[in-house]
């Protein structure tokens, strides 16, 4: 059925980079046979899933939407993929994204841009644009995305689906191709909040293959969805509804807050005073980490090697020049500069300090409130091509997702209406490792 749907819509949406049809059908047949027995069924038994193409899958091409990795077939599964297999979901294929997860529109994919199923002339958001578009168009029951500065939440918002970025450390990053290791998190994109809770249940938990994996008890996320939010205290940051936020987006968020009030919650305006520094801080830190992480792509160990080099250095240079796209090169340059001696203190170290201030903003609000609520993005999806030549405008789309990433706390985007025919997302932000509350509020609202 999933492949039937893919057959109908994929030529328009272009959510997938690689399909796994033969394997998926064989897997589905095995599950069918299991139905006739009383063998215990996995938590996600038989659910057809798509996986973002920066999450490695054994024997299944994994390109990160980069020419550099256009021939890369991993020899192992990421921890999350192992967990999905254990939960018995079926992997349909690998999903399009911005190259190495750098971008917010899918236009940085070095193969082709995915389109927004609500309007094919609009971007699906990014970098997990394929993951969001596949769920919105019914080309997968659920998908996995990755979020470094908003890449799960913003495309979910643009495509009218549910996207959850877990607390940093809750879900293993082993087998996620690293972009900015101190920020990257894998999370589910689903049609509704209950599905999000199920997928999180399957993928969360300590992993000794990831040194930043947290040793915490995993609660029962599904039973947290009891609909009860009476007495819930919501903080609404004035910075998230001020300058730069589309008035129609603001209207949808205020309407959602009314609904939550009707369910017994109360809200007050609060302040996250360092919000204005978040975008600059993020692009310095993320680019610095990326410049270091991407040093491993040298044409020797992974991916495509340039032809006819003059010598070893020439081979590195040619492979990297040909393999990486514009935006990736821009970030490597920016990050290398920020980390270079003489500039380290002025840029990287300074940005680390501001990151702490941003985190403290959240700590202060969470001392008195259970969740923080605002929009997921300042606007709805924009037309393909309208921002590609303007990286700064593109970076500003992340203004309300980035602070959350820098603080490492969890947040979900749930649909909260439409503006000019395109979906709007409501962002519900929680305390570290309090996914249960985030999911409970999202589920009560939905
Ligand atoms: N748009 C942001 C960036 O380009 C976020 C990307 C992400 O979360 N992977 O870095």
């Amino acid at each position: 059925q999933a492949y039937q749907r893919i057959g109908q819509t994929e030529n328009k949406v272009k959510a997938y980079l690689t399909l796994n049809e033969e394997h998926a059908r064989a897997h589905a047949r095995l599950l069918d046979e299991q139905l006739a027995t009383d063998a215990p069924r996995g938590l996600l038994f038989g659910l057809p899933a798509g996986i973002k193409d920066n999450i490695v899958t054994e024997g299944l091409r994994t390109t990160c939407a980069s020419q550099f990795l256009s021939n890369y077939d991993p020899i192992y599964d990421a921890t999350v993929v192992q967990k999905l297999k254990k939960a018995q979901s079926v992997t349909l294929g690998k999903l399009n994204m911005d190259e190495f997860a750098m971008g917010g529109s899918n236009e940085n994919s070095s193969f082709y841009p995915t389109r927004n199923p609500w309007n094919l002339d609009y971007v699906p958001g990014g970098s997990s644009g394929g993951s969001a578009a596949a769920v919105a168009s019914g080309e997968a029951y659920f998908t996995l995305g990755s979020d470094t500065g908003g890449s799960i939440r913003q495309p979910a918002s643009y495509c009218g689906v549910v996207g959850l970025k877990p607390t940093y450390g809750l879900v293993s990053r082993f087998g996620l191709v690293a972009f900015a290791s101190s920020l990257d998190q894998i999370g589910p994109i689903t049609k509704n909040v209950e599905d999000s809770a199920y997928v999180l249940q399957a993928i969360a938990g300590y992993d000794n293959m990831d040194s930043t994996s947290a040793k915490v008890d995993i609660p029962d996320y599904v039973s947290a969805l009891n609909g009860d939010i009476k007495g819930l205290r919501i903080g609404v940051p004035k910075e998230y509804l001020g300058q730069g936020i589309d008035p129609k987006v603001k209207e949808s968020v205020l309407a959602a807050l009314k609904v939550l009030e009707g369910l017994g919650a109360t809200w007050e305006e609060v302040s996250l005073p360092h919000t204005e520094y978040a975008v600059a801080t993020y692009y310095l830190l993320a680019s610095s980490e990326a410049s270091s992480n991407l040093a491993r792509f040298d044409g020797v160990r992974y991916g495509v090697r340039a032809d006819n080099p003059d010598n070893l250095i020439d081979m590195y240079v040619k492979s990297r020049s040909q393999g990486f796209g514009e935006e990736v090169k821009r970030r490597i340059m920016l990050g290398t500069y920020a980390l270079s001696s003489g500039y380290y203190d002025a840029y990287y170290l300074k940005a680390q300090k501001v990151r702490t201030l941003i985190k403290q903003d959240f700590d202060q609000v969470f001392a008195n409130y259970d969740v923080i609520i605002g929009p997921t993005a300042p606007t709805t999806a924009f037309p393909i091509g309208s921002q590609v030549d303007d990286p700064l405008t593109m970076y500003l789309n992340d203004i309300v997702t980035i602070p959350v990433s820098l603080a490492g706390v969890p947040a979900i985007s749930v649909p909260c209406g439409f503006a000019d025919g395109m979906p709007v997302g409501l962002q519900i932000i929680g305390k570290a490792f309090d996914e249960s509350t985030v999911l409970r509020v999202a589920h009560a609202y939905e």
Side-chain angles (χ1 to χ4, degrees), residues 101-104 127 146-151 179 282-283 331 398:
M102 298 175 190
S127 62
S146 71
D147 191 311
T148 304
S151 278
F179 161 14
Y282 167 88
Y283 278 95
R331 306 238 183 154
D398 304 330

Side-chain angles (χ1 to χ4, degrees), residues 79 82-83 169-175 204-215:
T79 297
Q82 292 169 24
K83 288 190 175 222
L170 183 70
V171 175
S172 169
R173 293 185 295 112
F174 178 68
Y206 175 73
D207 178 14
N208 63 11
M209 297 300 279
D210 171 2
S211 63
T212 58
S213 175
K215 280 193 174 136

Side-chain angles (χ1 to χ4, degrees), residues 121-351:
D121 294 329
Y122 280 61
V123 302
S127 62
S128 314
S131 301
V135 172
S137 61
E139 291 188 19
Y141 190 85
F142 75 89
T143 60
L144 294 185
S146 71
D147 191 311
T148 304
S151 278
I152 289 175
R153 292 162 283 158
Q154 183 255 35
S157 161
Y158 284 7
C159 291
V161 293
V162 175
L164 171 69
K165 182 201 87 80
T167 308
Y168 182 78
L170 183 70
V171 175
S172 169
R173 293 185 295 112
F174 178 68
L176 169 67
V177 178
F179 161 14
S181 316
S182 78
L183 296 154
D184 298 341
Q185 263 298 284
I186 295 171
I189 297 184
T190 53
K191 278 203 170 56
N192 60 49
V193 176
E194 191 178 357
D195 292 349
S196 187
Y198 272 102
V199 179
L200 183 65
Q201 199 80 54
I203 62 173
Y206 175 73
D207 178 14
N208 63 11
M209 297 300 279
D210 171 2
S211 63
T212 58
S213 175
K215 280 193 174 136
V216 289
D217 290 331
I218 304 302
D220 185 339
Y221 297 117
V222 180
S223 68
L225 309 178
N226 59 13
D228 182 10
I229 57 162
K230 273 189 216 73
L232 183 91
R233 298 160 307 165
I234 303 170
V236 178
K238 61 171 192 266
E239 294 82 3
Y240 286 25
L241 288 175
Q243 217 192 354
I245 309 292
D246 180 340
K248 288 181 185 154
V249 168
K250 178 174 174 176
E251 231 172 82
S252 300
V253 171
L254 291 174
L257 287 167
K258 273 237 152 62
V259 172
L260 292 166
E261 268 179 345
L263 294 167
T266 55
W267 71 271
E268 278 170 352
E269 191 176 278
V270 297
S271 177
L272 297 169
H274 295 93
T275 302
E276 61 173 308
Y277 306 110
V279 171
T281 303
Y282 167 88
Y283 278 95
L284 271 169
L285 293 178
S287 301
S288 297
E289 293 184 30
S291 71
S292 167
N293 276 325
L294 269 55
R296 75 192 63 176
F297 299 104
D298 55 7
V300 177
R301 285 167 290 189
Y302 309 94
V304 179
R305 182 177 303 170
D307 291 332
N308 305 321
D310 294 335
N311 52 45
L312 183 65
I313 299 294
D314 191 46
M315 188 194 74
Y316 295 154
V317 172
K318 279 200 176 122
S319 299
R320 288 170 69 80
S321 306
Q322 293 166 11
F324 291 137
E326 282 283 293
E327 182 63 24
V328 176
K329 286 179 186 159
R330 184 179 297 125
R331 306 238 183 154
I332 292 174
M333 294 296 285
L334 189 66
T336 307
Y337 181 78
L339 289 177
S340 54
S341 82
Y343 295 105
Y344 180 93
D345 288 1
Y347 294 112
Y348 184 76
L349 199 67
K350 186 74 154 257

Side-chain angles (χ1 to χ4, degrees), residues 17 22 51 77 117 151 188 343-344 346 359 367 377 393 405 417 427:
L17 288 174
E22 221 173 288
I51 296 174
D77 277 328
S151 278
Y343 295 105
Y344 180 93
K359 186 177 175 300
T393 306
S405 301
Q427 186 175 207

